[in-house]
Amino acid sequence: MKTQHIKKTMMILIVSVSSVLLWQSCTQQEQSRTYSDLTSEVTGEVIAELTDAPFVPARITAKHNTKVIVHLEVIEQPMRLADGVEYTFWTFGGKVPGKFIRVRQGDQVEFHLHNHPDNMLPHNIDLHAVTGPGGGAEASLVAPGKSAQFSFRALNQGLYVYHCATAPVGMHIANGMYGLILVEPLEGLPAVDHEFYVMQSEFYTSGGFGQKGHQEFDMQKALDERPDYVVMNGAVGASAGENAMKVKVGESVRLYLGNGGPNLVSSFHVIGEIFDKVYVEGGTLINRDVQTTLIPAGGSAIAEFTCEVPGTLHLVDHSIFRAFNKGALAQIKVVGDENHQVFTGKEKEEVYLPEGSAIQRISSGKQAAASSEPIPEKSLNERLEAGAILYKQNCMACHMDHGGGIPGTFPTLVNSDFLKARADKGIGIILEGLQGEITVNGSNYNNIMPAVALNDDQVASILTYVFNRFENGGGHIKAAEVAEWRNKK
Amino acid sequence: MKRIVTSAIFFLLLGCCDLQAQHPGMKTIPAGTYKPLMKTVADEITVGSFLLDEKPVTNAQFKAFTDARAEWSPTRVKALFADNQYLQHWDSSGAWTDEIDLMPVVYVSWFAAKAYCSWLGKRLPTLDEWEYAAAGKPEPGQNISSTETLILNWYSRMSGENHLSGSIYRNEYGLWDMHGLVWEWVYDFNRVVSNDDSRNSEEIPSGLFCGSASLNSAGASDYASFIRYAFRGSITGNYTMRRLGFRCAQSVQQ
Ligand SMILES: [Cu+2]
C-alpha cells in the first residue's frame, strides 16, 4: 500500500517536473523563435485592408512576416457631429476615428500618407506602434497635395493609437486626427464571432451641445478641458440606434477600444455586460471579470464577452454625464431567444407609493395644447433677448455671429439695403426662404437660403434683433404681423 | 506701440503719400516691432519700413508675366522650379471669366513667385515683414471680431482661393486679405523648418510654452499662427498648391 503510494507520488512528481521543464523549454523556444521571427526575412506583399469604425479588417492568417502596404489619405471636410450640427473634421481616411489598420507582429509596414489637395493644412502621423523617432511623425510631415512614405517593422504586439502630431498638436487631435492600429501576436488572436472598433473622443465647439449649424473649434474650451461633445466613433449616435452594431445571442464579441482624447480619460463600461477578458491598455496583461476598464487618452484596451441574452447593450463612458448629456454612447443590438436562466426580464411591476404621498399623474397632452395657445406679445427688450439666442441657433451658421455673412456666399445683414427695402420686413425670407439673384449693398448673390421653420413669436424676435442689432434702422416687429403675413398667404 | 506711432508720423511728414503714388497697388508699412511666435529668437523683432502689395497677386497679373516670360509658362517651366501641378487651375475645362482674372493666383512655386516679383522690380517679403504686416488689426467697421477668429473660421470654412483678391478684409495698414484668402509665400519660408515633428524640435517646445503662456492674454491667436508656421515647415520651393499664393514687397529707398 505504502510503496504504491510513494510510487504514485513519484510518478506525479516526475511528470510534473518534466512537464515544467518541457514548458520552460517551450517558452524559451517560443521566445527565441519570436526574436528570430521578428528579424527574419519578409515574404510576400499585400495592400492593407482598412476599415471605418465600427468595422475591423479580417483576421490575419499568414504565418510569416509580410510586407504590408498602407495607403492612408488625410481629408479635411465638414461632416455631421450631431443632428443639425456640422463640424469641419480633419480625418485619416474621411471619417472619425481614422481607418483601422491591422498587421501582424514582424510585418514590414510600408506606410504612404497622402494629404488631399483640397486640404488647407499640413499633417503627419505618429503611430504608437512604431519604434522610431516620433513614431513616424518626422518622416511623414506632408503638405496639401503631397504624399510621404516611410517604413517600419511592427516589433511589439498590441493595440495602438495613431494620431497627427503637427503643430499645434492639440488642435489636430481635437479636430479628429486619430485611429487604431492592431499588431496581432505571431500566433494570432483567438477567433471570435464578431470584432468591432469603437473609439471615444471629445469635441470643443463654439456653440454648446446641440446648437445647430456649423460649429467652429473653440480653443479656450479645449484648454479648459471643457468639451461640448464626448462621442463614440466621431459623432453623436454614430454607432447607436439604426447604426448600432448587431450580434446574435450566444455569439462572442471582441471590442477594440481606443481613446483619441485629446483630454479626457474614459471609464469604459458596457451597460448590461461583464467583460470576460480585458487586455489591459491594449497590451498582453489579461484581466478577467471586469465591469469598467480605464482607457487613457492616447491609449487603448481590448475587451471580450459573450452575449447570452437578447437586448440592447449600451457602451458608455461611465463618467456618466458624458454618456447622457454629451453623446458618449454606442450600442450593440443582441437579437435571439430569451435565456431565462441568465436573465428573467421584468417579472412583476407594481406601483411604489411611499407612505403619505398622493398619486401623481404625469400630465400628457396638456403641454402640447398649451403651446398652441397664443404667446403674449413680448416687449422690445424681451424680443432682443430672445432674438439674440434664436439668431445664434438659426442664422449665425451662414450669416455669421456679426451678421456680416461671408462675402460672395452669404450676404450681410448689416445695414442691408435689400432688407430695408422689403415691405414684409424680411418675414417672407425666413418663412419661405430666398433664392435667385439679389443685390445687397452693391454685391450680387445668387444662392439659396432655405426656409426656417419657426413660429410667429420666434420670427418676430429674430427680425427685431436683426433690425436693431445690425444697423437696419431699429424697430419692433410683432408676432401679430408675422401671423398676418402667414394668413395672407 | 509708441515706436510704431512715431514712425508712422515720421512717414506722414516725409510724404509717404508721394511714395505710394509712385507704387500703385502698394502700401507703405511703417517701421515697428512685432512679437515673433518663436520667442527663442528674440522677444521682439524690429522691422524697417517697406512697401507691400495691397492685395495678393491675381491670375490676370500673373498671366501677364507668363505671357512676357515664356520660360515661366505652364508648358515650359522647369521641374526643378515648379512641380507638375504648376498653374493647373488655368487649364480647367470651365471658361476663363472676369472673376477668375481677379482671384488670387495659386498653384505657384516659390521660384515662380520670386521671378514674378523681380520682373516688376520687386521682391518677396521676408517672413518677419510678412508676419509684422499681417499682425495689423482689421480696420473697424468690417464686423470682424478678431484676426484669430477670422483665421480659425477660414480653416474650418476651407475656401478662399475662389474669392476675389481683396474681398475678405482690410487691415490697419490698408492691406487686403493677409488672412482668410490664401496662404502666401515669403522669401525665407523655410527659415523655421526646424523639425518635421512639431513636438521634439529644439525651438518649438519653448515656442509652444511661450505660445501657451501668451494664450492667457492673447486668446487663441498663437494657436492660429502656429498652423501657419507648420504650413511653411511642410513645403519646399518647387511646391505648388491649391491654396498657396503670394504678394510682392519692395524696399524703401533710404
Ligand atoms: Cu493633422
Side-chain angles (χ1 to χ4, degrees):
Chain A
M1 273 287 269
K2 203 155 192 195
T3 48
Q4 236 195 330
H5 180 79
I6 290 169
K7 243 189 185 164
K8 210 173 166 187
T9 327
M10 282 293 285
M11 271 293 286
I12 290 171
L13 241 160
I14 290 167
V15 169
S16 51
V17 164
S18 57
S19 66
V20 163
L21 284 173
L22 227 148
W23 177 78
Q24 261 183 355
S25 63
C26 259
T27 48
Q28 257 159 26
Q29 219 173 41
E30 173 87 15
Q31 265 164 14
S32 57
R33 185 175 67 87
T34 302
Y35 182 75
S36 66
D37 207 76
L38 286 180
T39 50
S40 73
E41 273 305 294
V42 172
T43 47
E45 185 178 302
V46 293
I47 306 269
E49 175 202 0
L50 305 178
T51 57
D52 289 317
F55 302 106
V56 176
R59 289 175 67 218
I60 293 171
T61 48
K63 291 282 168 270
H64 52 80
N65 299 335
T66 312
K67 177 174 169 189
V68 182
I69 300 170
V70 178
H71 286 279
L72 193 55
E73 185 180 36
V74 176
I75 301 171
E76 302 165 6
Q77 61 184 359
M79 289 189 288
R80 175 189 172 277
L81 175 56
D83 287 335
V85 182
E86 207 185 58
Y87 189 81
T88 301
F89 294 89
W90 303 349
T91 73
F92 283 112
K95 291 264 172 69
V96 175
K99 300 273 185 194
F100 195 102
I101 306 167
R102 186 170 199 157
V103 301
R104 178 178 175 272
Q105 200 179 359
D107 281 352
Q108 178 77 27
V109 183
E110 182 184 292
F111 209 101
H112 299 255
L113 187 69
H114 309 285
N115 193 348
H116 195 281
D118 290 347
N119 291 348
M120 297 260 339
L121 309 164
H123 300 282
N124 63 7
I125 191 166
D126 167 352
L127 297 126
H128 291 176
V130 170
T131 311
E138 279 186 42
S140 64
L141 183 72
V142 60
K146 309 287 166 190
S147 299
Q149 181 191 331
F150 64 100
S151 292
F152 66 92
R153 197 76 180 244
L155 294 179
N156 297 63
Q157 69 172 80
L159 181 61
Y160 296 93
V161 166
Y162 66 80
H163 62 89
C164 182
T166 306
V169 180
M171 190 169 167
H172 283 255
I173 295 178
N175 281 337
M177 301 199 73
Y178 38 77
L180 291 179
I181 174 169
L182 172 68
V183 182
E184 280 202 57
L186 289 174
E187 64 281 9
L189 284 164
V192 288
D193 296 316
H194 294 278
E195 294 184 314
F196 294 114
Y197 169 20
V198 178
M199 196 158 190
Q200 179 176 324
S201 57
E202 319 106 52
F203 289 91
Y204 302 83
T205 51
S206 44
F209 180 84
Q211 184 163 316
K212 301 273 187 279
H214 189 93
Q215 298 298 314
E216 314 293 341
F217 168 65
D218 188 315
M219 184 59 210
Q220 196 57 50
K221 287 181 184 172
L223 278 173
D224 296 345
E225 307 193 5
R226 259 190 311 118
D228 299 283
Y229 293 86
V230 181
V231 293
M232 302 284 181
N233 288 346
V236 175
S239 297
E242 269 177 26
N243 305 317
M245 295 159 268
K246 291 172 189 76
V247 307
K248 294 203 190 76
V249 168
E251 289 183 323
S252 55
V253 173
R254 178 181 294 132
L255 297 178
Y256 295 105
L257 304 166
N259 183 0
N263 291 315
L264 304 184
V265 167
S266 173
S267 302
F268 191 85
H269 176 82
V270 175
I271 300 178
E273 260 304 338
I274 296 159
F275 303 134
D276 298 326
K277 211 167 155 187
V278 171
Y279 294 75
V280 179
E281 291 166 11
T284 39
L285 177 68
I286 291 178
N287 197 2
R288 291 176 198 278
D289 305 319
V290 178
Q291 57 189 310
T292 299
T293 192
L294 217 55
I295 314 177
S300 72
I302 303 172
E304 294 177 3
F305 53 88
T306 301
C307 301
E308 277 97 1
V309 294
T312 300
L313 302 175
H314 301 279
L315 287 58
V316 299
D317 181 340
H318 214 296
S319 296
I320 208 72
F321 277 103
R322 298 176 189 168
F324 294 116
N325 300 77
K326 296 186 170 184
L329 176 92
Q331 291 173 329
I332 297 178
K333 293 211 167 124
V334 187
V335 294
D337 297 330
E338 293 286 351
N339 179 350
H340 290 283
Q341 291 300 110
V342 179
F343 185 70
T344 62
K346 193 182 277 175
E347 290 178 305
K348 209 167 156 197
E349 185 180 65
E350 51 194 23
V351 176
Y352 167 65
L353 269 187
E355 246 175 273
S357 61
I359 293 173
Q360 301 265 328
R361 259 199 201 90
I362 297 154
S363 58
S364 64
K366 188 99 184 283
Q367 209 77 31
S371 70
S372 66
E373 278 168 26
I375 303 165
E377 286 288 353
K378 290 188 165 64
S379 72
L380 180 61
N381 274 338
E382 286 169 336
R383 287 244 173 270
L384 290 174
E385 221 165 89
I389 297 165
L390 288 163
Y391 178 82
K392 282 206 169 65
Q393 290 170 340
N394 297 287
C395 323
M396 188 177 84
C398 301
H399 293 288
M400 310 304 282
D401 194 15
H402 44 69
I406 295 176
T409 312
F410 301 120
T412 182
L413 301 182
V414 180
N415 196 5
S416 158
D417 55 2
F418 180 86
L419 175 60
K420 285 188 290 188
R422 279 181 69 109
D424 69 352
K425 298 181 182 167
I427 296 170
I429 298 179
I430 299 187
L431 293 181
E432 294 204 311
L434 186 68
Q435 76 183 79
E437 207 161 308
I438 60 167
T439 305
V440 183
N441 298 350
S443 304
N444 293 327
Y445 292 86
N446 191 355
N447 217 321
I448 299 174
M449 167 170 154
V452 188
L454 296 167
N455 66 29
D456 298 347
D457 175 62
Q458 292 168 320
V459 172
S461 297
I462 292 193
L463 285 173
T464 304
Y465 174 81
V466 168
F467 271 88
N468 285 277
R469 288 290 177 263
F470 296 143
E471 304 162 31
N472 288 307
H476 180 175
I477 290 136
K478 305 227 159 58
E481 290 175 64
V482 182
E484 195 185 321
W485 188 92
R486 236 191 254 268
N487 294 336
K488 259 199 296 201
K489 280 278 138 176
Chain B
M1 189 57 210
K2 200 170 167 196
R3 198 182 312 180
I4 297 176
V5 173
T6 36
S7 47
I9 292 169
F10 187 61
F11 251 94
L12 281 172
L13 291 176
L14 276 189
C16 69
C17 308
D18 280 344
L19 250 176
Q20 250 165 37
Q22 289 162 21
H23 302 276
M26 296 191 96
K27 292 285 171 192
T28 304
I29 313 301
T33 62
Y34 89 103
K35 286 193 162 52
L37 186 69
M38 314 293 180
K39 289 180 188 158
T40 45
V41 196
D43 270 0
E44 275 194 337
I45 287 181
T46 304
V47 179
S49 178
F50 64 102
L51 290 156
L52 191 59
D53 282 351
E54 188 181 358
K55 298 174 184 178
V57 174
T58 64
N59 284 310
Q61 289 170 328
F62 202 80
K63 185 88 176 33
F65 166 63
T66 56
D67 287 347
R69 295 287 160 90
E71 70 269 30
W72 290 105
S73 69
T75 44
R76 302 257 314 264
V77 72
K78 288 200 181 69
L80 201 60
F81 296 138
D83 65 22
N84 56 13
Q85 300 179 91
Y86 180 65
L87 297 174
Q88 71 164 26
H89 62 306
W90 282 8
D91 59 21
S92 62
S93 49
W96 187 288
T97 63
D98 292 351
E99 285 215 313
I100 294 179
D101 263 349
L102 301 177
M103 288 176 189
V105 64
V106 289
Y107 288 112
V108 280
S109 65
W110 177 84
F111 294 102
K114 195 165 147 279
Y116 171 91
C117 293
S118 61
W119 177 62
L120 294 176
K122 302 183 188 178
R123 59 175 174 81
L124 282 172
T126 65
L127 190 150
D128 284 333
E129 285 171 343
W130 195 96
E131 285 292 329
Y132 167 60
K137 291 192 183 52
E139 267 187 352
Q142 301 175 101
N143 285 297
I144 290 165
S145 53
S146 68
T147 312
E148 46 274 24
T149 32
L150 181 116
I151 297 174
L152 291 175
N153 289 354
W154 176 48
Y155 295 153
S156 102
R157 174 161 48 91
M158 295 187 67
S159 71
E161 80 289 350
N162 52 354
H163 289 61
L164 303 190
S165 178
S167 65
I168 307 290
Y169 82 109
R170 217 164 94 117
N171 79 8
E172 60 183 295
Y173 303 120
L175 300 171
W176 280 94
D177 308 344
M178 290 302 284
H179 304 288
L181 191 75
V182 285
W183 300 110
E184 293 183 18
W185 284 109
V186 294
Y187 180 72
D188 47 351
F189 69 94
N190 53 4
R191 195 181 74 194
V192 289
V193 192
S194 40
N195 198 303
D196 295 336
D197 181 344
S198 311
R199 295 160 304 176
N200 59 3
S201 93
E202 298 265 309
E203 293 167 53
I204 298 191
S206 56
L208 255 177
F209 175 75
C210 296
S212 49
S214 59
L215 274 173
N216 300 328
S217 53
S221 60
D222 290 275
Y223 242 67
S225 312
F226 247 107
I227 294 204
R228 199 163 57 248
Y229 283 80
F231 178 83
R232 291 187 190 123
S234 76
I235 54 184
T236 60
N238 69 337
Y239 276 21
T240 73
M241 260 172 255
R242 173 172 163 187
R243 302 180 199 279
L244 176 56
F246 71 104
R247 73 180 78 208
C248 305
Q250 201 166 12
S251 303
V252 175
Q253 266 77 38
Q254 300 298 329

